[in-house]
Amino acid sequence: MEDLPDALIGEIVKRVSSTSDLSSLSLVSKRLYKIEAESRHTIHIGCSLRPATDAIVSLCSRFHNLLKVDINYSGWTQDHGNQLDNHGLRILSSYCLSLSDITLSFCSYIDDTGLGYLAFCKKLITLRLNSATKITSSGLLAVAVGCKNLSALHLIDCNKISGAFEWLKYLGSDGSLEELKVKNCVGINQYSLLMFGPGWMKLQRFVFEFRNIYSIFEPKDPSYVANCQYRYDFSCENLKQLSLRRIVTVEEIGLCSLLGKCKSLEKLCLHFVLGLTDSDMITLAQNCSNLRSISLQLEPVFCEGPEGRVCRTPLTDESLKALAGCRMLQVVELTMFGCDYAYPEIGFTQEGLMMFFQSCPIRDLVLCGANIFDDEGMKALSSAQFLQTLELMDCVYITDAGMCLLADSPSLVNLTLRQSDGFSDVGVGEVVRARKLNSLIVEGCSRVSQKAVLGTAKSVRYERYYPGYGKLRRSSLSFGQD
């Protein structure tokens, strides 16, 4: 070790990911202590930092090459002592001039004054604020003006950000933002975000979500004119990833207008968007030839149909026909939530789903709550040439006969079955004997036993109960999670 140059040892140290291992390594010798300090680019700070101000001085003095700092006080109580405050953030921004990535989570001692010190971080590229309860628009404006290289901004549960949105206008006109995520911030509505103006042209990833309820009582769109066709005067041709959840576009155009403007769109999540129509999907398919992934989570709403007003999921086979023309579409989620077996209705038909599955080169499919889908529909899935990963959840009319068809699926290697009681060990056993599965997950399927699945794939997970829809995390489908 003594014969190795410092630069080479530094490269070795950078490949050690465990914080405890790095700490142990630094105690071996003074030389390693120095090299490890110079090589450390990331630190995580939380409740164990005591006393906070003295500790941050010590850390910044030692690790002066820091690029990424994650400050997280989740679970903090008074017993943990004082949190890092504005003064601590000033020390951080003064000592660590190379900082490019900062996350502040549950930092209740930091307000606009503290956030303003980040304006001295001229190399800051990414800022994430999670449950920053004292941060307002003024603090964000200071960061927007001072951090010219800011390209990613995440705002999660920051409920004091409201009123004037000069920060958003500034980032739109003079900033370089490529990624914007706004989740569960009650003071920011979709029409405020339209003030981003020319910034939409640079944006590549955009997320706007509310957690549980629709933002029905938000201010109306000031640009909306009744009975008049209107288009927002901005372009978002570079937008590649778009996620919208629980927004309302019944009377106003709002953010759904983005669907006709994102010619580079590759990944789309539309979750419980009130006012979504077949026309939106047709517009999307006509303009987004690069679409590779789509996640649609739908629940029943009142819709006007040929037979009058009905309660059903908003999209019909017309949407599926339009999406079938997206020849690059490989990852698909179709979730129908809150539909009973008889009523409310699902807007799709089994014939429409079969046509869609056979028309697109789907590699990864999640089908959830499809009580219109039975063994006949499984014929389409079993003949899907490119299908590698399949998840079936709450598809109650699929029986052992339908499962047996999957034994002939040409490319299937990953199978997930959740909350479905129509099939048993017989059907699942036929699939696992015929297919060499990499992964098999069975959760909440009462007629499938643990004995039938153990050892049948390289990776097997069996749970008698499933974790609940809201706790599922599907990394291939969602890019909006933090």
Side-chain angles (χ1 to χ4, degrees), residues 86 184 255 375:
N86 294 337
N184 310 317
L255 290 176
D375 295 341

Side-chain angles (χ1 to χ4, degrees), residues 23-212:
S23 299
S24 298
L25 184 66
S26 67
L27 298 176
V28 173
S29 67
K30 290 183 178 180
R31 184 186 181 205
L32 283 176
Y33 182 89
K34 179 181 178 182
I35 293 174
E36 192 273 328
E38 291 177 346
S39 304
R40 183 81 71 94
H41 290 161
T42 302
I43 61 170
H44 300 272
I45 298 171
C47 298
S48 61
L49 191 73
R50 292 190 248 179
T53 302
D54 293 342
I56 197 67
V57 170
S58 176
L59 288 171
C60 291
S61 299
R62 183 182 174 199
F63 305 120
H64 52 270
N65 291 328
L66 287 176
L67 301 178
K68 181 177 180 179
V69 175
D70 184 351
I71 304 174
N72 189 336
Y73 280 100
S74 177
W76 176 87
T77 66
Q78 291 289 346
D79 293 338
H80 290 109
N82 292 334
Q83 291 188 12
L84 193 72
D85 57 12
N86 294 337
H87 182 58
L89 215 54
R90 181 180 183 181
I91 293 170
L92 183 67
S93 60
S94 301
Y95 277 74
C96 304
L97 301 179
S98 298
L99 278 176
S100 61
D101 189 316
I102 298 176
T103 300
L104 303 178
S105 300
F106 303 94
C107 297
S108 57
Y109 283 33
I110 294 175
D111 58 22
D112 290 340
T113 300
L115 197 66
Y117 292 132
L118 296 185
F120 297 109
C121 300
K122 301 303 180 183
K123 297 182 180 181
L124 188 64
I125 295 174
T126 301
L127 174 63
R128 303 178 188 86
L129 301 178
N130 184 1
S131 299
T133 57
K134 293 184 178 180
I135 302 300
T136 73
S137 294
S138 298
L140 287 178
L141 180 59
V143 173
V145 173
C147 303
K148 302 296 185 182
N149 294 314
L150 190 68
S151 65
L153 177 63
H154 298 187
L155 304 174
I156 304 170
D157 291 306
C158 297
N159 293 329
K160 276 205 169 183
I161 300 174
S162 61
F165 291 92
E166 295 302 319
W167 60 275
L168 193 58
K169 294 179 183 177
Y170 189 91
L171 287 173
S173 60
D174 298 308
S176 54
L177 214 59
E178 296 180 356
E179 177 173 308
L180 177 61
K181 293 185 180 181
V182 180
K183 301 174 69 172
N184 310 317
C185 298
V186 297
I188 304 176
N189 63 70
Q190 58 178 314
Y191 307 119
S192 303
L193 291 167
L194 294 171
M195 297 166 66
F196 194 43
W200 287 105
M201 187 64 182
K202 306 170 189 174
L203 208 62
Q204 296 184 25
R205 294 171 295 278
F206 176 59
V207 175
F208 184 65
E209 300 180 358
F210 285 92
R211 182 179 290 110
N212 293 319

Side-chain angles (χ1 to χ4, degrees), residues 182-185 188 190 206-215 218 242-249 255-256 268-274 295-299 333 335 337 469-474 478-481:
V182 180
K183 301 174 69 172
N184 310 317
C185 298
I188 304 176
Q190 58 178 314
F206 176 59
V207 175
F208 184 65
E209 300 180 358
F210 285 92
R211 182 179 290 110
N212 293 319
I213 60 173
Y214 292 109
S215 182
E218 62 185 21
L242 172 64
S243 178
L244 303 175
R245 179 180 178 86
R246 293 204 180 279
I247 66 168
V248 181
T249 59
L255 290 176
C256 268
L268 174 65
C269 295
L270 297 175
H271 295 174
F272 310 115
V273 175
L274 188 60
S295 174
L296 297 174
Q297 296 182 3
L298 311 170
E299 61 186 353
E333 176 191 5
T335 290
F337 186 80
Y469 180 76
K471 296 182 179 180
L472 296 177
R473 293 292 180 266
R474 301 181 176 109
S478 181
F479 56 92
Q481 297 169 3

